[in-house]
Amino acid sequence: MSVELVLQQLHPAQQLIFNSKARNVIVMAGRQFGKSSLAIQKVIHCLLGIGNNNIGENAFYITPYYKLAKKFFRDLVKAIPSELIDGEPNKTDLQITLKNGAFIQLYSADNPDAIRGNNEISLVVLDECAYYDLETLYGDVIEPMLGIKERGRCLMISTPNSSNGFYRMWKDAHDNGANKDWEAFKFTAYDNPFWSKERLDKIKAKARSIIKFNQEYLCEVSASESCPFEYEYVQKAIIPELSKLPSVVYGIDIAQGKGNQTGDYTVIVGLDKQANISHFERFRIPSTSVQFDKMNVLPKNTLKVIDSTSIGGWYFENLQNKGHYVEGMTFTNNNKTELVYEFVSAIEKEQVKINQVIADEALIYEARLSKSNNYQFGNQAGKNNYDDALTAAMLAWKGLNTIVGFGSNT
């Protein structure tokens, strides 16, 4: 029985990605580039064994939301001739099995445990993977699953979403050059010749935010629109190693939780007299006394600016009682806003140098307008997003700039 398979023609940029021989292909692509049609072809070729002596192999497709998985499922059912499908596609489990025995299973990324332990998979497509914790999902689940397969391969494709884990993985693959394991691609919406350039120009002209248009259509990675920190300035502020000079001030942000492995961190940041980061500790410790001991060993005569809000007040008082030079800061809307924008200014004026952890947190920091028209600051919602190191750095800069004196020998 012969069956006609009709697939959408790939444009040149899609074809470059499709032809890659790397085990891991990571693609930063603008909206309207044609990510879904590319993914459909990769999946169908895998299931039918096209280019593999007609030996069909199994695939997973993972997307950030169940709704997107259902849409891809419907598109895939339309693309595969019904004569090749074994029975009815399972709309509940989002699984399609072909008569040759190969299957594809679709998942949302919010349930990684359901994906673990399957060694029968040869292809994984991670779609819109800038919108979930790609580093953890790939490292903990996908890489071990595909590593034992001779033909195991992974396609990671997404529009960027600030400089998060997806961007870090893409940049690492891009900077290290193409090899048999990794290859990185970057294409904008304008690289899709099937999409009208005039139409894109109109969208750009009417865009409410050029930053958002540039990120979603042109793949220009930046912090989110609501982030007060500019990506380029933050990158300039990063130094690879701690300063060897002594710290003249410490900023301490106290974890408000119980110090378990899923809660916030307590962070201690030290700055030298030129505002170069010279001390960095980040820990989760359930014991209040043990956590206090890590602060108590700091030099007593060196200024410590501590978040004295809530539980922080206890640490502030006890450090004082132990003879430490310490200033407390109980956060309000007004002084938090002032603290943030003083640090933003220091970053933009290249006055302060930070490490990669603080930089990563700065780029997912947001200013959100509350119902009472006050700005509320915090990290973007999502797994493994924190602002504790950034807060500690801002407190250290506050102490250096307003109490110790920037550049002072005191």
Side-chain angles (χ1 to χ4, degrees), residues 284-315:
R284 293 184 177 117
I285 299 176
S287 168
T288 302
S289 60
V290 174
Q291 184 159 264
F292 176 77
D293 288 343
K294 294 182 76 69
M295 304 173 201
N296 193 33
V297 297
L298 297 172
K300 288 189 175 181
N301 292 332
T302 302
L303 173 65
K304 299 154 199 74
V305 182
I306 187 169
D307 170 15
S308 56
T309 311
S310 187
I311 188 63
W314 182 89
Y315 290 91

Side-chain angles (χ1 to χ4, degrees), residues 36-56:
S36 293
S37 58
L38 171 64
I40 284 174
Q41 294 219 23
K42 292 292 288 186
V43 167
I44 290 178
H45 275 65
C46 174
L47 296 177
L48 296 178
I50 299 174
N52 187 35
N53 298 318
N54 296 323
I55 301 173

